[in-house]
Amino acid sequence: MEVWNTETPNLYELTLELLDSESKPVHIYKDRIGFRTIEFRPKDGLYVNDTKVVLKGINRHSFHPDGGRTTSREISIQDGKLIKEMNMNAVRFHYAPDKHFMEVCDSLGIFVVSELAGWQNPYNTEVGSKLLKALVARDVNHPSIILWSSGNEGGFNYELDSLYGKYDPQKRHVIHAWADFNDLDTHHYPTFLTGIARFVNGYKVFMPTEFQHGMYDQGHGAGLEDFWAQYTAHPLFAGGFMWDFSDNAVKRSDKGGMLDSDGSNGTDGILGPYREKEGSYYTVRNIWAPIQFEQLYITPSFKGEFIVRNDYLFSNLNTCKMEYRVLTAPSPLDAREESEVLASGAVTLPGIEPREAGKARMQVPANFFRGDILEIKAWDQHGEEICTWTWPIHYAGEYTQQQLKQVNQSGKASVRQESGKVVLSAQDVTVSFNAADGLISKIKNKQGNVSFTKGPIPVGMKARVKEVKFRQEGDNAIFTAYYLGAVDSIRWKMTPAGLLQMYAVTLNKANPGVGFDEAVFEDNISIFGFTFSYPEEKVQQMNWLGRGPYRVWRNRIRGANYGMWGKEYNNTITGADFANLVYPEFKGYHGNMYWSTLHTSESPFTVYSGSDGVFMRVFTPEEPKDNKTKDPANPVFPEGDISFLYEIPGIRCFKSIPQQGPKSQPSNIRIKKGDEGVHMDLWFDFRAGQ
């Protein structure tokens, strides 16, 4: 007999026959069952088959737009598969779901916390005892159920608790969701520092039955990395459940088929109402993957080795399969238009047990460093895909310089001054700067104007122009703005081909002779970089090399993979404007940009980064019009429309940013005498037809 668990959910067909006096069957009952043990050990943990488990959970309503609370087996199968795709292993709900969803949890391997809710107000004993008996009697034989929950968020009738043991021969542990009760602390929506003598500061098993609230684009993945690292480092952590699986919006036949979520009251899903995947889907899939990579940068010293950790509960890592691909990622300057696979092969995984780490190895192909992206994909023992990971093979500066070498730089750029402007020109490109403030005032190419203006404006720092200078430097034309404050200088170079370089030097000036360490300190920096203006109505499409395809926030970067991505303009308001849900959303921050092309009604233009870690901001997402909370859905964006930034803000996760972990917090600036400062190297290609 093979035991049931979430990784090998072995089930058996049970047949019971009721015989009459002549041994003839008068009733036959069939069911699928599994064999496993379950034990809660106070001040220790939750054990399945004598293995301590950590639940990676989601809360789920039985809900679908087309049927409301009435669902189908097909919906249950779809939802169960999506839960497993996100590398979750547990689900909780406020009431008994359809029987077919319980069967899906058994067959796919999903732990269940089954709840008789009361939903903040308890059932009285007469009614509650009947509902409780019906709940336990119906589902008692499901191996997936490992805990009973008696009430939700204050809906506790203590007189009912003993009845679970009366009807459940397995005597599964009983919790009160959100309470510290029965030796299991399930506090809802903990802050990162919760709490005094509780959670990571306490000696009880803890398992928040609701955390990471996903309203609109908030929650789920935002800040999860910090919470998960802190919690899993504690020996008494038993897991947690995020809220919620999908946006709860019902199709209103009385309103022309519109989807109604009652404003912000039903927009908590990691998936849309029809199970559309939002950005946090990919972050959770990465953070909760049972294979975890130690952070790595690919350098010329790379030997094909990765330190990996086995985050399974029951399985050896050698039951999985892993493969790599080496991909090219040509830019618009390259004659090649499509990415190609230069090499592929197997990655050998170490035979390590859960909670162990070891080295995975690949044979580095001879043409490896001709590639631009290393992609690794893994599958579990059932052939289901676990996750995809990517790394750039070259730093941004090296990559961009290789692309620029392909440009014919014959000819000569020129610089001139006219009526308060400094004008750089070459080929068909002319860029005019205001001599007073150093900002771009006008750009023209042979097709006409390019409305990329009113920048670079420093954001997240104090700076103003002190003076400007211009000169001819060989075949290049140079315009430099010198600043007081956090910016030292911004140097613009027009090359003979008409490419325009912006090289900014910031944060290199301390206060000599002031203070013990002659340092400058600024706190709470959530945005840092430069911003420009461009009319949103002129943009049609975006293609880029960097992290994607979804936008990122400071505390939700993982899961966005390196690649060549493209998307058409949309005005999706995540989880709100259900008539206009186009994913991935167009507006927002895009991580680790190498290059980005905006296709417009004027002419396309491309920006290349010679600096690592630059976020490209593309316009400002609209706020939901039906938000019933007092807090905005999005953090404050910098002025302007197109920005290039080293710092971007984190997004709320139900709680405010100060109540989240380190990766959600703003940075600070500390400058010491002799620092080289922070440099930003960008190249703009405004040439028509490029």
Side-chain angles (χ1 to χ4, degrees), residues 303-333:
K303 298 179 181 179
E305 296 181 341
F306 312 86
I307 297 177
V308 295
R309 187 180 72 243
N310 181 356
D311 271 9
Y312 277 113
L313 296 174
F314 305 96
S315 303
N316 192 295
L317 210 56
N318 61 17
T319 62
C320 299
K321 182 179 76 169
M322 184 176 280
E323 295 179 353
Y324 78 86
R325 296 197 305 168
V326 178
L327 307 169
T328 63
S331 79
L333 296 176

mmCIF file of all heavy atoms in Angstrom, residues 303-333:
data_model
loop_
_atom_site.group_PDB
_atom_site.id
_atom_site.type_symbol
_atom_site.label_atom_id
_atom_site.label_comp_id
_atom_site.label_asym_id
_atom_site.label_seq_id
_atom_site.Cartn_x
_atom_site.Cartn_y
_atom_site.Cartn_z
ATOM 1 N N LYS A 303 30.771 28.076 -14.577
ATOM 2 C CA LYS A 303 31.172 26.709 -14.908
ATOM 3 C C LYS A 303 29.992 25.763 -15.031
ATOM 4 O O LYS A 303 30.160 24.542 -15.040
ATOM 5 C CB LYS A 303 32.140 26.189 -13.844
ATOM 6 C CG LYS A 303 33.439 26.978 -13.744
ATOM 7 C CD LYS A 303 34.335 26.430 -12.648
ATOM 8 C CE LYS A 303 35.621 27.244 -12.549
ATOM 9 N NZ LYS A 303 36.520 26.743 -11.453
ATOM 10 N N GLY A 304 28.783 26.326 -15.087
ATOM 11 C CA GLY A 304 27.614 25.467 -15.256
ATOM 12 C C GLY A 304 27.098 24.875 -13.965
ATOM 13 O O GLY A 304 26.389 23.860 -13.992
ATOM 14 N N GLU A 305 27.405 25.498 -12.837
ATOM 15 C CA GLU A 305 26.970 24.976 -11.541
ATOM 16 C C GLU A 305 25.997 25.947 -10.875
ATOM 17 O O GLU A 305 26.169 27.163 -10.941
ATOM 18 C CB GLU A 305 28.173 24.755 -10.620
ATOM 19 C CG GLU A 305 29.131 23.687 -11.123
ATOM 20 C CD GLU A 305 30.296 23.472 -10.171
ATOM 21 O OE1 GLU A 305 30.553 24.365 -9.327
ATOM 22 O OE2 GLU A 305 30.957 22.426 -10.281
ATOM 23 N N PHE A 306 24.986 25.373 -10.240
ATOM 24 C CA PHE A 306 23.990 26.142 -9.506
ATOM 25 C C PHE A 306 23.788 25.491 -8.146
ATOM 26 O O PHE A 306 23.661 24.260 -8.063
ATOM 27 C CB PHE A 306 22.642 26.143 -10.228
ATOM 28 C CG PHE A 306 22.709 26.465 -11.690
ATOM 29 C CD1 PHE A 306 22.962 25.480 -12.626
ATOM 30 C CD2 PHE A 306 22.530 27.764 -12.117
ATOM 31 C CE1 PHE A 306 23.021 25.772 -13.973
ATOM 32 C CE2 PHE A 306 22.581 28.077 -13.465
ATOM 33 C CZ PHE A 306 22.827 27.075 -14.400
ATOM 34 N N ILE A 307 23.735 26.264 -7.100
ATOM 35 C CA ILE A 307 23.358 25.733 -5.794
ATOM 36 C C ILE A 307 21.842 25.774 -5.696
ATOM 37 O O ILE A 307 21.225 26.830 -5.851
ATOM 38 C CB ILE A 307 24.007 26.522 -4.649
ATOM 39 C CG1 ILE A 307 25.531 26.385 -4.727
ATOM 40 C CG2 ILE A 307 23.493 26.033 -3.290
ATOM 41 C CD1 ILE A 307 26.283 27.178 -3.689
ATOM 42 N N VAL A 308 21.239 24.618 -5.494
ATOM 43 C CA VAL A 308 19.780 24.512 -5.436
ATOM 44 C C VAL A 308 19.365 23.910 -4.097
ATOM 45 O O VAL A 308 20.121 23.157 -3.471
ATOM 46 C CB VAL A 308 19.217 23.661 -6.589
ATOM 47 C CG1 VAL A 308 19.474 24.331 -7.925
ATOM 48 C CG2 VAL A 308 19.798 22.247 -6.569
ATOM 49 N N ARG A 309 18.142 24.244 -3.691
ATOM 50 C CA ARG A 309 17.580 23.704 -2.456
ATOM 51 C C ARG A 309 16.303 22.938 -2.783
ATOM 52 O O ARG A 309 15.503 23.370 -3.617
ATOM 53 C CB ARG A 309 17.268 24.843 -1.484
ATOM 54 C CG ARG A 309 16.827 24.377 -0.092
ATOM 55 C CD ARG A 309 16.533 25.551 0.835
ATOM 56 N NE ARG A 309 15.296 26.241 0.466
ATOM 57 C CZ ARG A 309 15.247 27.500 0.062
ATOM 58 N NH1 ARG A 309 16.345 28.219 -0.043
ATOM 59 N NH2 ARG A 309 14.088 28.071 -0.257
ATOM 60 N N ASN A 310 16.126 21.818 -2.123
ATOM 61 C CA ASN A 310 14.927 21.002 -2.300
ATOM 62 C C ASN A 310 13.866 21.473 -1.317
ATOM 63 O O ASN A 310 13.971 21.257 -0.116
ATOM 64 C CB ASN A 310 15.260 19.526 -2.070
ATOM 65 C CG ASN A 310 14.051 18.622 -2.269
ATOM 66 O OD1 ASN A 310 12.940 19.091 -2.511
ATOM 67 N ND2 ASN A 310 14.267 17.318 -2.169
ATOM 68 N N ASP A 311 12.813 22.127 -1.839
ATOM 69 C CA ASP A 311 11.728 22.606 -0.997
ATOM 70 C C ASP A 311 10.494 21.712 -1.060
ATOM 71 O O ASP A 311 9.401 22.131 -0.669
ATOM 72 C CB ASP A 311 11.339 24.039 -1.390
ATOM 73 C CG ASP A 311 12.153 25.083 -0.631
ATOM 74 O OD1 ASP A 311 13.115 24.680 0.059
ATOM 75 O OD2 ASP A 311 11.847 26.281 -0.727
ATOM 76 N N TYR A 312 10.667 20.497 -1.575
ATOM 77 C CA TYR A 312 9.578 19.530 -1.468
ATOM 78 C C TYR A 312 9.405 19.116 -0.005
ATOM 79 O O TYR A 312 10.292 19.315 0.835
ATOM 80 C CB TYR A 312 9.874 18.293 -2.310
ATOM 81 C CG TYR A 312 9.529 18.420 -3.766
ATOM 82 C CD1 TYR A 312 10.521 18.432 -4.751
ATOM 83 C CD2 TYR A 312 8.206 18.512 -4.180
ATOM 84 C CE1 TYR A 312 10.205 18.541 -6.084
ATOM 85 C CE2 TYR A 312 7.880 18.615 -5.520
ATOM 86 C CZ TYR A 312 8.877 18.634 -6.468
ATOM 87 O OH TYR A 312 8.555 18.740 -7.798
ATOM 88 N N LEU A 313 8.260 18.505 0.283
ATOM 89 C CA LEU A 313 8.018 17.950 1.617
ATOM 90 C C LEU A 313 8.373 16.471 1.690
ATOM 91 O O LEU A 313 8.833 15.988 2.723
ATOM 92 C CB LEU A 313 6.543 18.140 1.992
ATOM 93 C CG LEU A 313 6.054 19.576 2.127
ATOM 94 C CD1 LEU A 313 4.546 19.599 2.353
ATOM 95 C CD2 LEU A 313 6.763 20.294 3.265
ATOM 96 N N PHE A 314 8.156 15.761 0.576
ATOM 97 C CA PHE A 314 8.269 14.305 0.626
ATOM 98 C C PHE A 314 9.211 13.715 -0.427
ATOM 99 O O PHE A 314 9.595 12.562 -0.317
ATOM 100 C CB PHE A 314 6.884 13.665 0.415
ATOM 101 C CG PHE A 314 5.831 14.139 1.371
ATOM 102 C CD1 PHE A 314 4.955 15.159 1.023
ATOM 103 C CD2 PHE A 314 5.711 13.579 2.638
ATOM 104 C CE1 PHE A 314 3.970 15.601 1.898
ATOM 105 C CE2 PHE A 314 4.738 14.020 3.519
ATOM 106 C CZ PHE A 314 3.867 15.029 3.151
ATOM 107 N N SER A 315 9.584 14.479 -1.463
ATOM 108 C CA SER A 315 10.242 13.904 -2.642
ATOM 109 C C SER A 315 11.720 14.260 -2.719
ATOM 110 O O SER A 315 12.124 15.382 -2.404
ATOM 111 C CB SER A 315 9.554 14.394 -3.921
ATOM 112 O OG SER A 315 8.181 14.073 -3.921
ATOM 113 N N ASN A 316 12.512 13.306 -3.189
ATOM 114 C CA ASN A 316 13.904 13.554 -3.511
ATOM 115 C C ASN A 316 13.958 14.369 -4.795
ATOM 116 O O ASN A 316 13.141 14.193 -5.697
ATOM 117 C CB ASN A 316 14.651 12.231 -3.692
ATOM 118 C CG ASN A 316 16.163 12.415 -3.747
ATOM 119 O OD1 ASN A 316 16.696 13.031 -4.657
ATOM 120 N ND2 ASN A 316 16.858 11.855 -2.769
ATOM 121 N N LEU A 317 14.941 15.247 -4.893
ATOM 122 C CA LEU A 317 15.021 16.116 -6.061
ATOM 123 C C LEU A 317 15.358 15.349 -7.334
ATOM 124 O O LEU A 317 15.084 15.826 -8.439
ATOM 125 C CB LEU A 317 16.071 17.214 -5.825
ATOM 126 C CG LEU A 317 15.812 18.545 -6.537
ATOM 127 C CD1 LEU A 317 14.457 19.116 -6.178
ATOM 128 C CD2 LEU A 317 16.911 19.541 -6.225
ATOM 129 N N ASN A 318 15.920 14.151 -7.188
ATOM 130 C CA ASN A 318 16.256 13.383 -8.383
ATOM 131 C C ASN A 318 15.030 12.791 -9.076
ATOM 132 O O ASN A 318 15.147 12.149 -10.124
ATOM 133 C CB ASN A 318 17.281 12.288 -8.071
ATOM 134 C CG ASN A 318 16.783 11.281 -7.050
ATOM 135 O OD1 ASN A 318 15.583 11.180 -6.779
ATOM 136 N ND2 ASN A 318 17.709 10.530 -6.465
ATOM 137 N N THR A 319 13.840 13.014 -8.507
ATOM 138 C CA THR A 319 12.619 12.586 -9.199
ATOM 139 C C THR A 319 12.195 13.609 -10.252
ATOM 140 O O THR A 319 11.273 13.339 -11.038
ATOM 141 C CB THR A 319 11.466 12.400 -8.196
ATOM 142 O OG1 THR A 319 11.181 13.650 -7.547
ATOM 143 C CG2 THR A 319 11.819 11.359 -7.146
ATOM 144 N N CYS A 320 12.843 14.777 -10.270
ATOM 145 C CA CYS A 320 12.495 15.831 -11.219
ATOM 146 C C CYS A 320 13.433 15.802 -12.423
ATOM 147 O O CYS A 320 14.494 15.182 -12.406
ATOM 148 C CB CYS A 320 12.582 17.198 -10.545
ATOM 149 S SG CYS A 320 11.463 17.404 -9.151
ATOM 150 N N LYS A 321 13.024 16.509 -13.456
ATOM 151 C CA LYS A 321 13.836 16.666 -14.664
ATOM 152 C C LYS A 321 14.057 18.154 -14.907
ATOM 153 O O LYS A 321 13.154 18.964 -14.695
ATOM 154 C CB LYS A 321 13.132 16.035 -15.870
ATOM 155 C CG LYS A 321 13.942 16.102 -17.166
ATOM 156 C CD LYS A 321 13.210 15.442 -18.330
ATOM 157 C CE LYS A 321 12.093 16.332 -18.852
ATOM 158 N NZ LYS A 321 11.527 15.846 -20.143
ATOM 159 N N MET A 322 15.273 18.488 -15.368
ATOM 160 C CA MET A 322 15.597 19.884 -15.625
ATOM 161 C C MET A 322 16.387 19.996 -16.916
ATOM 162 O O MET A 322 17.261 19.168 -17.190
ATOM 163 C CB MET A 322 16.392 20.462 -14.450
ATOM 164 C CG MET A 322 16.699 21.948 -14.555
ATOM 165 S SD MET A 322 17.530 22.575 -13.066
ATOM 166 C CE MET A 322 16.142 22.782 -11.956
ATOM 167 N N GLU A 323 16.071 21.022 -17.718
ATOM 168 C CA GLU A 323 16.764 21.256 -18.975
ATOM 169 C C GLU A 323 17.097 22.734 -19.128
ATOM 170 O O GLU A 323 16.445 23.592 -18.522
ATOM 171 C CB GLU A 323 15.908 20.791 -20.168
ATOM 172 C CG GLU A 323 15.666 19.297 -20.193
ATOM 173 C CD GLU A 323 14.793 18.861 -21.353
ATOM 174 O OE1 GLU A 323 14.257 19.751 -22.072
ATOM 175 O OE2 GLU A 323 14.635 17.646 -21.565
ATOM 176 N N TYR A 324 18.115 23.015 -19.960
ATOM 177 C CA TYR A 324 18.503 24.398 -20.211
ATOM 178 C C TYR A 324 18.415 24.711 -21.705
ATOM 179 O O TYR A 324 18.452 23.822 -22.559
ATOM 180 C CB TYR A 324 19.923 24.673 -19.706
ATOM 181 C CG TYR A 324 21.023 24.142 -20.613
ATOM 182 C CD1 TYR A 324 21.496 24.898 -21.688
ATOM 183 C CD2 TYR A 324 21.597 22.889 -20.395
ATOM 184 C CE1 TYR A 324 22.497 24.412 -22.531
ATOM 185 C CE2 TYR A 324 22.590 22.396 -21.231
ATOM 186 C CZ TYR A 324 23.028 23.158 -22.299
ATOM 187 O OH TYR A 324 23.995 22.674 -23.141
ATOM 188 N N ARG A 325 18.310 26.001 -22.002
ATOM 189 C CA ARG A 325 18.450 26.512 -23.362
ATOM 190 C C ARG A 325 19.276 27.794 -23.310
ATOM 191 O O ARG A 325 19.122 28.608 -22.389
ATOM 192 C CB ARG A 325 17.095 26.816 -24.004
ATOM 193 C CG ARG A 325 16.211 25.607 -24.208
ATOM 194 C CD ARG A 325 15.078 25.907 -25.208
ATOM 195 N NE ARG A 325 14.282 27.064 -24.819
ATOM 196 C CZ ARG A 325 13.393 27.659 -25.626
ATOM 197 N NH1 ARG A 325 13.224 27.222 -26.867
ATOM 198 N NH2 ARG A 325 12.695 28.696 -25.192
ATOM 199 N N VAL A 326 20.142 27.978 -24.290
ATOM 200 C CA VAL A 326 20.888 29.221 -24.461
ATOM 201 C C VAL A 326 20.260 29.953 -25.631
ATOM 202 O O VAL A 326 20.206 29.436 -26.751
ATOM 203 C CB VAL A 326 22.388 28.961 -24.716
ATOM 204 C CG1 VAL A 326 23.122 30.278 -24.947
ATOM 205 C CG2 VAL A 326 23.002 28.205 -23.543
ATOM 206 N N LEU A 327 19.780 31.180 -25.383
ATOM 207 C CA LEU A 327 19.021 31.931 -26.373
ATOM 208 C C LEU A 327 19.740 33.213 -26.760
ATOM 209 O O LEU A 327 20.409 33.837 -25.934
ATOM 210 C CB LEU A 327 17.642 32.296 -25.822
ATOM 211 C CG LEU A 327 16.796 31.152 -25.253
ATOM 212 C CD1 LEU A 327 15.585 31.711 -24.521
ATOM 213 C CD2 LEU A 327 16.346 30.230 -26.373
ATOM 214 N N THR A 328 19.599 33.624 -28.024
ATOM 215 C CA THR A 328 20.034 34.953 -28.423
ATOM 216 C C THR A 328 18.879 35.924 -28.223
ATOM 217 O O THR A 328 17.707 35.540 -28.231
ATOM 218 C CB THR A 328 20.468 34.985 -29.898
ATOM 219 O OG1 THR A 328 19.349 34.669 -30.732
ATOM 220 C CG2 THR A 328 21.598 33.993 -30.151
ATOM 221 N N ALA A 329 19.217 37.187 -28.046
ATOM 222 C CA ALA A 329 18.203 38.233 -27.882
ATOM 223 C C ALA A 329 18.654 39.451 -28.672
ATOM 224 O O ALA A 329 19.185 40.410 -28.115
ATOM 225 C CB ALA A 329 18.003 38.576 -26.412
ATOM 226 N N PRO A 330 18.474 39.425 -29.992
ATOM 227 C CA PRO A 330 18.945 40.549 -30.812
ATOM 228 C C PRO A 330 18.148 41.820 -30.551
ATOM 229 O O PRO A 330 16.959 41.774 -30.239
ATOM 230 C CB PRO A 330 18.732 40.056 -32.246
ATOM 231 C CG PRO A 330 17.645 39.031 -32.138
ATOM 232 C CD PRO A 330 17.841 38.375 -30.800
ATOM 233 N N SER A 331 18.818 42.945 -30.672
ATOM 234 C CA SER A 331 18.159 44.241 -30.513
ATOM 235 C C SER A 331 17.728 44.756 -31.882
ATOM 236 O O SER A 331 18.072 44.167 -32.920
ATOM 237 C CB SER A 331 19.124 45.234 -29.866
ATOM 238 O OG SER A 331 20.040 45.724 -30.841
ATOM 239 N N PRO A 332 17.001 45.872 -31.937
ATOM 240 C CA PRO A 332 16.647 46.448 -33.243
ATOM 241 C C PRO A 332 17.860 46.859 -34.081
ATOM 242 O O PRO A 332 17.717 47.089 -35.289
ATOM 243 C CB PRO A 332 15.803 47.668 -32.860
ATOM 244 C CG PRO A 332 15.196 47.310 -31.550
ATOM 245 C CD PRO A 332 16.263 46.549 -30.842
ATOM 246 N N LEU A 333 19.045 46.965 -33.477
ATOM 247 C CA LEU A 333 20.249 47.294 -34.234
ATOM 248 C C LEU A 333 20.838 46.079 -34.931
ATOM 249 O O LEU A 333 21.735 46.206 -35.761
ATOM 250 C CB LEU A 333 21.310 47.900 -33.308
ATOM 251 C CG LEU A 333 20.957 49.235 -32.642
ATOM 252 C CD1 LEU A 333 22.060 49.646 -31.674
ATOM 253 C CD2 LEU A 333 20.717 50.312 -33.688
#
